[in-house]
Amino acid sequence: MYTELSLFIDGKWLNGAGRKGEDVINPATGKALGSLPHASKADLDAALEAAQKGFLVWKAMSAYDRAKIMRKAADLLRERAERVATVQTLEQGKVFAESRIEVLTSADIIDWYAEEGRRAYGRIVPGRQKGVRQIVLQEPVGVVAAFTPWNFPTLTPVRKIAGALAAGCSIIIKASEETPGGCFELVKCFADAGVPAGVLNLVFGVPAEVSEHLIPSPLVKKISFTGSIPVGKHLAGLAAKGMKKATMELGGHSPVVVFADADPEKAADTIAAFKYRNAGQVCISPTRFYVQEASYSKFVARFTEYAKNIKLGDGLEKGTTMGPLANPRRLDAMESFVNDAKGRGGKIAAGGSRHGNQGFFFQPTVITDVPDDAKVMTEEPFGPLAPIVPFKTFDEVVERANALPFGLAAYAFTSSGATATAIGDAIQSGMVGVNSVAISTPETPFGGIKESGYGSEGGIEGLQAYMNTKFISQA
Ligand code: NAD
C-alpha cells in the first residue's frame, strides 16, 4: 500500500543502491513502512548542476507552455488522489478524508499558480523625457532550494514547487524524511506530466547536512522553508550570508477570541473541528482560546463535548475522526505541556494523556483555568491541546492575544460588525479569520509576521516571491 521511495535528480529516479538511508514509520503502528534513500554530497552537487541547467530550459519556455505542463500535473494528481492520500495517511497519520482534501487542494494550487504565472505582468512607467521608455520587468530568480516539514506532506511542498515553477524557476526540494511519500508522489505527477529534466529535483538526507550544502551554493538564489522558528532563524542566517531571498513560514500560537455577542455553541462547533484537524499539528491551528466571561461556561461545555466525541484511531479505518501524532517527539511534548498546566492549577476537562500502547496516540484534550504564563499558553503546542480561558474586555483580550512574539494566524467570533472590524485591525497576525476559519486558499496570501516569519505563499504574493524586479530605461 505504501510506495517505493527514491530521489529524483536531473529527470532520473535514484534508489537506495549504495546510499545511506532511514526507515519511514507508520505513526499508527510504530512499524516501518519502507526505506528512504539519502542523497550523498555527490547527489546534491548533481542536483545543483541539474537545477541550473533546468532553469535555463524552463525560463526559456513561454509561461503558456509551462502552464500546460503544470495543469497536466494537477490532473494527474487528481486522478491519483486516492492512492496519494493513502500513502500520506500511512506515513503521517491524519484521517484519510483529510488526506484526500489535502491532495485535491494541492492540485488546485498547481492549477492556480499555472494560470497566475501567465499574468506575471511588468509595467511601463511614463518617462520624463520624450522617447524614453521606462520598463519594469518581472524575472524568475533562478534555482530555488526548499525545505518542508512532516505535517502536510503534499500541501507544503506543492506551494513551493508550483510557485517556483510558475515563475519560471527550477527547484530542489528537500521534503520531510519522516513523511516523504506525499512529496514523492507529487513529484512523480510533475515528472509524468513532462517537466524537463533538472527543473524539479527531490532529495532527502540529514536535514542540517542538506541545507548547509545547498543554501551556500552560488547556484541557489532563493530559499523557502516551512517549519519551526529555531530552524527558520538558522536557515535565514545562512541565506543572509549569501544575500539570498528567503521565505520563512514558521510556527505560531494562534489566539481565538470569542466575544459574548457570538453564538458560543456555534463558535465552539466551528473552532473545535478546526482545532483537532490533523491532531492539531497545523501551523495555523487555533491554540489559545479566550472566551468573554458571559459565554465562557457554555463555550467550554460544548467544546468539551466535541472533544470527547472524537474517535481516535488509525486514519485509514472507517469512522476514525482523529489519527495519531506524527512522531514520538510530539507525544513527549504533549505530556510536558499537560504536566506543566496541571502544576499551575489547570484543570483537564477532556483527555490529558496518551491513548493505547501502540503508535503515537494522544487524546483530544481541553484544559481550563490555566494561567497566561503556562507553557501551553506561551509555546506552540502543535498537538491536540485546547487551553480555554475567560476574558473581560476588548482591550484586555487584545493585549493578551498580542503578548507573544508570534503572529501567524488568529481567529475571532462576534455578531457585531464594528467588533469584527476592530478585532481584525487590532490583532498582530499575518492572517485573521473573523467568524471564519477559511484563511488558507490558493488565491490568498499565507504567511506570518513577528517571529512567525516573512514572505507569503499563495496569492499573487506567492508568485512574486520567486521573481526579481528589473527596471530598464530605454532611450
Ligand atoms: P524541528 O525543529 O527539529 O524540525 C522542524 C522541521 O525542520 C522538520 O521538518 C525538520 O526536518 C526540519 N529541519 C530541522 N533542522 C533543519 C535544518 N538544519 N535544515 C533544514 N531543515 C531542518 O522540530 P520537529 O520536532 O520536527 O517539530 C517541532 C516543532 O516544529 C513543532 O512544535 C512546530 O512548532 C514546528 N513545526 C512547524 C511546522 C509548520 O508548518 N510551520 C511544521 C512542522 C513543525
Side-chain angles (χ1 to χ4, degrees):
M1 274 211 288
Y2 194 58
T3 194
E4 194 82 18
L5 296 160
S6 33
L7 311 170
F8 186 63
I9 296 172
D10 201 13
K12 293 183 224 41
W13 297 102
L14 305 172
N15 63 20
R19 294 181 173 85
K20 289 185 184 160
E22 66 187 285
D23 282 346
V24 180
I25 305 297
N26 180 343
T29 63
K31 300 204 173 92
L33 288 164
S35 72
L36 176 73
H38 281 186
S40 64
K41 285 218 160 73
D43 289 329
L44 295 178
D45 286 337
L48 285 163
E49 210 179 295
Q52 178 59 24
K53 192 186 69 184
F55 170 57
L56 299 178
V57 173
W58 192 240
K59 182 189 172 195
M61 280 173 75
S62 68
Y64 175 77
D65 286 330
R66 291 197 297 251
K68 279 202 283 196
I69 295 177
M70 291 180 68
R71 296 191 71 127
K72 185 151 183 224
D75 288 342
L76 288 174
L77 189 57
R78 276 187 205 98
E79 270 172 33
R80 301 174 188 177
E82 302 288 308
R83 194 190 133 53
V84 182
T86 305
V87 166
Q88 253 195 185
T89 292
L90 281 167
E91 66 186 9
Q92 202 274 343
K94 68 182 67 175
V95 295
F96 180 77
E98 287 181 28
S99 269
R100 202 169 164 275
I101 291 171
E102 178 177 343
V103 173
L104 294 175
T105 305
S106 299
D108 284 351
I109 288 174
I110 302 173
D111 274 343
W112 190 82
Y113 269 118
E115 286 307 306
E116 201 58 19
R118 297 171 63 188
R119 289 186 276 274
Y121 306 130
R123 68 189 196 278
I124 304 283
V125 182
R128 291 189 173 203
Q129 281 158 9
K130 202 163 180 272
V132 171
R133 270 179 200 274
Q134 303 194 112
I135 305 160
V136 181
L137 294 178
Q138 297 294 333
E139 295 185 331
V141 294
V143 175
V144 175
F147 305 88
T148 53
W150 42 263
N151 54 338
F152 285 92
T154 307
L155 189 80
T156 311
V158 85
R159 281 202 175 119
K160 301 182 193 305
I161 294 172
L165 264 49
C169 297
S170 62
I171 183 166
I172 303 171
I173 184 149
K174 190 207 79 62
S176 164
E177 287 69 27
E178 291 175 306
T179 61
C183 188
F184 171 81
E185 293 290 338
L186 174 68
V187 168
K188 246 178 150 186
C189 293
F190 279 100
D192 294 347
V195 165
V199 172
L200 170 58
N201 305 274
L202 173 66
V203 298
F204 298 100
V206 176
E209 288 175 11
V210 178
S211 56
E212 275 155 36
H213 194 87
L214 294 182
I215 297 175
S217 163
L219 295 176
V220 169
K221 300 292 189 280
K222 153 100 194 179
I223 317 302
S224 182
F225 173 72
T226 299
S228 65
I229 292 172
V231 175
K233 286 180 177 173
H234 172 62
L235 299 192
L238 290 178
K241 277 198 185 128
M243 201 48 76
K244 297 180 185 188
K245 277 181 187 277
T247 296
M248 292 287 150
E249 204 275 274
L250 311 178
H253 201 333
S254 314
V256 179
V257 179
V258 182
F259 290 98
D261 58 11
D263 178 336
E265 293 180 335
K266 209 168 139 204
D269 287 344
T270 305
I271 205 73
F274 201 55
K275 164 75 245 178
Y276 296 110
R277 186 173 70 112
N278 199 5
Q281 302 164 115
V282 183
C283 55
I284 57 167
S285 180
T287 41
R288 303 177 275 153
F289 297 77
Y290 302 93
V291 183
Q292 207 158 14
E293 278 176 343
S295 294
Y296 184 70
S297 49
K298 266 196 181 163
F299 181 90
V300 170
R302 185 66 165 240
F303 197 105
T304 304
E305 189 188 328
Y306 187 100
K308 286 185 171 163
N309 282 330
I310 286 174
K311 186 162 181 299
L312 210 49
D314 187 320
L316 288 182
E317 264 166 33
K318 273 219 162 68
T320 298
T321 52
M322 193 178 101
L325 298 178
N327 55 59
R329 299 190 299 288
R330 299 310 321 137
L331 272 184
D332 295 343
M334 292 312 108
E335 279 173 347
S336 157
F337 280 116
V338 168
N339 290 340
D340 175 82
K342 279 188 191 160
R344 291 164 188 269
K347 298 199 178 71
I348 306 300
S353 45
R354 289 184 66 152
H355 169 86
N357 51 14
Q358 182 189 269
F360 316 134
F361 292 92
F362 199 88
Q363 296 168 334
T365 298
V366 179
I367 310 172
T368 61
D369 299 289
V370 68
D372 278 3
D373 63 354
K375 196 168 142 168
V376 73
M377 295 296 280
T378 55
E379 288 176 30
E380 183 179 35
F382 225 68
L385 309 185
I388 312 179
V389 295
F391 75 90
K392 285 190 170 63
T393 68
F394 181 93
D395 289 347
E396 172 213 323
V397 80
V398 166
E399 194 182 327
R400 289 165 76 186
N402 288 341
L404 299 185
F406 320 116
L408 186 60
Y411 307 90
F413 292 87
T414 174
S415 60
S416 149
T419 306
T421 305
I423 193 74
D425 289 348
I427 295 260
Q428 297 166 355
S429 179
M431 296 165 280
V432 185
V434 183
N435 298 321
S436 165
V437 292
I439 59 167
S440 171
T441 76
E443 304 80 14
T444 51
F446 184 99
I449 58 169
K450 297 162 85 176
E451 293 201 2
S452 294
Y454 39 70
S456 290
E457 305 198 278
I460 50 174
E461 292 83 356
L463 184 69
Q464 211 84 60
Y466 294 97
M467 307 202 93
N468 286 328
T469 299
K470 180 191 266 181
F471 170 59
I472 300 175
S473 178
Q474 192 177 308

